[in-house]
Amino acid sequence: MDNYRSYVSPVVLATLVHLAMLALIAGQWFDFSEPPRPQPRHVQARMIDLSSLQPDQSAAQQAAEQARAQEQARQAEQQRQEEQQRQAEQQRQAEQQRQAEQQRQEEQQRQAEQQRQAEQQRQEQQRREQEAEQRRQQELTAQREAESRLRAEQERQQQEAAEQQRRAEEQRRAEEQRRAEEQRRAEEQRRAEEQRRQETERRAQEERRRQEEAARAAEEARQREAEAARAAAQAAADAVVGDIGSYIQAMLERNWNIPATARQGMYATVEIHLTPTGDIVDVRILRSSGDMAFDRSVEQAVRRTERLPRVAEVDPMLFERRLRRIQINFRPEGLRW
């Protein structure tokens, strides 16, 4: 592109100079000015009376001859002047042609010089371009060599990385296989332990179930025996309490003086506190009959009794549960335990 621009400017300049020279030469060759006009001949006329001029005819002829001679001389002079002008114009045109030719030769020389300089510049530009191309080729060669070395180094590093990755992958696979084998062995051991544990647990469960069934059977038997014992004891206690109750009622009825104010349906409830020896230590009216004399007679009957000797014969536990505090309803028709 720089070489092309170096040629364009001189060529354009030379073209403009040639056009200017051609315009100048054409102006000289084609002279559009008005050509010189021939000077009009001045004819002097005079009217002559022929009758009066006859004596002077010879003189007139001489004068006419002289006038023609002068006219011819003037015309010859005019032709000479026109010839001189034509020759001067031809010389001027020749001079212009010479100058134009000289200018053309100078322009050709200048153009040749410009072409020579342009050629030198082109050669210099070409030389610089060749040198730049050589430097570029050298740089490209160096760059290719550097890239080749870089690619070789990268390939070497990639190969090393691939080898390391392959070794790491092999180690990983070996480690995974080892872990899988250990896991498999541990799983087998765990399963065996689980089976042993399950078997042991099953046996323990069966043993516990057998023991629980045996214990349950024993407990049921014990409960049946205890229930029978409790029933027997309860029956015995009820018999004892019933017998003691009849005894206590008889003792109290014997010491109770029913007042005259007692009526049918009247009753009073008392609570009697006993000791294991049968002594009466306290009496308290829980429900009044509504008649003070009736209530007082009930309380006096209990206090008059003082002691119930057969209570000392009752089992202490039965006494604590059933006889320490007893409640008795006093009615006119009889006592209620």
Side-chain angles (χ1 to χ4, degrees):
M1 181 61 72
D2 294 336
N3 190 12
Y4 175 76
R5 290 178 179 175
S6 65
Y7 284 119
V8 170
S9 298
V11 171
V12 172
L13 183 60
T15 303
L16 293 175
V17 172
H18 278 80
L19 291 175
M21 293 296 297
L22 288 174
L24 180 62
I25 293 171
Q28 293 177 358
W29 283 350
F30 302 98
D31 189 3
F32 296 99
S33 62
E34 294 183 358
R37 297 179 180 179
Q39 298 291 330
R41 298 177 182 179
H42 298 281
V43 178
Q44 294 179 359
R46 185 175 57 180
M47 296 183 64
I48 299 173
D49 187 3
L50 294 178
S51 61
S52 60
L53 291 178
Q54 288 180 355
D56 296 330
Q57 187 175 6
S58 58
Q61 291 179 351
Q62 291 178 356
E65 290 292 336
Q66 186 178 2
R68 282 194 298 273
Q70 290 178 354
E71 180 65 21
Q72 290 177 353
R74 189 186 61 78
Q75 291 179 354
E77 181 65 22
Q78 185 176 0
Q79 291 178 355
R80 186 184 62 80
Q81 291 177 356
E82 290 178 356
E83 182 65 22
Q84 288 179 354
Q85 289 179 358
R86 187 181 60 78
Q87 291 178 358
E89 180 66 21
Q90 290 178 352
Q91 290 178 359
R92 185 182 62 80
Q93 291 179 356
E95 181 66 20
Q96 288 179 352
Q97 291 178 356
R98 186 188 63 77
Q99 292 178 357
E101 181 65 20
Q102 185 177 0
Q103 289 178 357
R104 185 181 62 78
Q105 292 177 356
E106 290 177 356
E107 179 65 21
Q108 289 178 353
Q109 291 177 359
R110 188 181 62 78
Q111 290 180 357
E113 181 66 20
Q114 288 179 352
Q115 290 179 356
R116 185 185 62 78
Q117 292 178 359
E119 182 65 20
Q120 289 180 354
Q121 291 178 357
R122 185 186 64 78
Q123 292 177 356
E124 181 66 20
Q125 181 66 24
Q126 186 176 4
R127 184 185 62 79
R128 288 196 297 269
E129 290 179 354
Q130 290 177 354
E131 291 178 355
E133 181 66 19
Q134 289 178 357
R135 288 194 299 271
R136 189 178 66 81
Q137 292 294 335
Q138 292 175 358
E139 291 176 356
L140 288 175
T141 302
Q143 184 177 1
R144 291 193 187 96
E145 292 178 354
E147 290 177 353
S148 178
R149 289 193 298 271
L150 180 60
R151 284 195 299 270
E153 180 65 20
Q154 290 178 350
E155 290 177 356
R156 185 185 64 79
Q157 293 178 357
Q158 290 176 357
Q159 290 177 357
E160 291 180 355
E163 182 65 21
Q164 292 178 357
Q165 186 176 3
R166 184 184 63 79
R167 292 177 181 176
E169 184 66 21
E170 290 179 354
Q171 292 179 356
R172 186 184 64 78
R173 290 178 180 176
E175 183 66 20
E176 287 180 354
Q177 290 178 356
R178 184 184 64 78
R179 291 179 180 177
E181 183 65 22
E182 291 180 354
Q183 186 175 2
R184 184 183 62 79
R185 292 177 181 175
E187 183 65 20
E188 290 179 354
Q189 185 176 1
R190 187 188 64 78
R191 289 178 181 176
E193 290 291 335
E194 183 66 19
Q195 289 178 355
R196 287 194 296 271
R197 186 188 64 78
Q198 291 178 356
E199 182 65 21
T200 303
E201 187 176 354
R202 184 183 63 80
R203 292 178 181 177
Q205 288 178 355
E206 290 180 354
E207 181 65 21
R208 285 195 300 271
R209 187 168 55 252
R210 186 181 60 79
Q211 292 177 358
E212 288 175 357
E213 289 177 354
R216 193 162 46 250
E219 180 64 20
E220 289 176 356
R222 187 184 64 78
Q223 288 180 357
R224 287 194 298 271
E225 292 176 357
E227 186 65 26
R230 281 197 300 272
Q234 185 66 31
D238 290 342
V240 171
V241 170
D243 183 51
I244 293 298
S246 299
Y247 165 72
I248 293 172
Q249 287 178 1
M251 292 291 291
L252 292 176
E253 286 179 352
R254 188 178 60 183
N255 294 320
W256 182 32
N257 295 321
I258 299 174
T261 58
R263 297 185 304 274
Q264 187 71 26
M266 184 182 292
Y267 75 94
T269 302
V270 298
E271 183 181 62
I272 301 173
H273 293 195
L274 300 174
T275 63
T277 58
D279 293 329
I280 297 173
V281 295
D282 192 16
V283 60
R284 186 161 59 96
I285 302 295
L286 295 180
R287 184 184 184 282
S288 173
S289 64
D291 184 74
M292 295 180 61
F294 188 87
D295 293 343
R296 189 169 50 255
S297 65
V298 171
E299 185 178 355
Q300 290 175 356
V302 175
R303 294 185 182 281
R304 213 180 336 318
T305 303
E306 292 182 359
R307 186 171 181 272
L308 300 172
R310 287 189 60 188
V311 173
E313 300 174 1
V314 179
D315 183 71
M317 293 182 64
L318 179 59
F319 171 79
E320 290 293 331
R321 290 198 309 271
R322 305 286 295 275
L323 298 176
R324 174 177 290 276
R325 293 180 181 181
I326 60 175
Q327 294 179 5
I328 299 176
N329 293 326
F330 283 80
R331 299 176 183 274
E333 61 271 15
L335 275 64
R336 298 289 184 181
W337 173 260

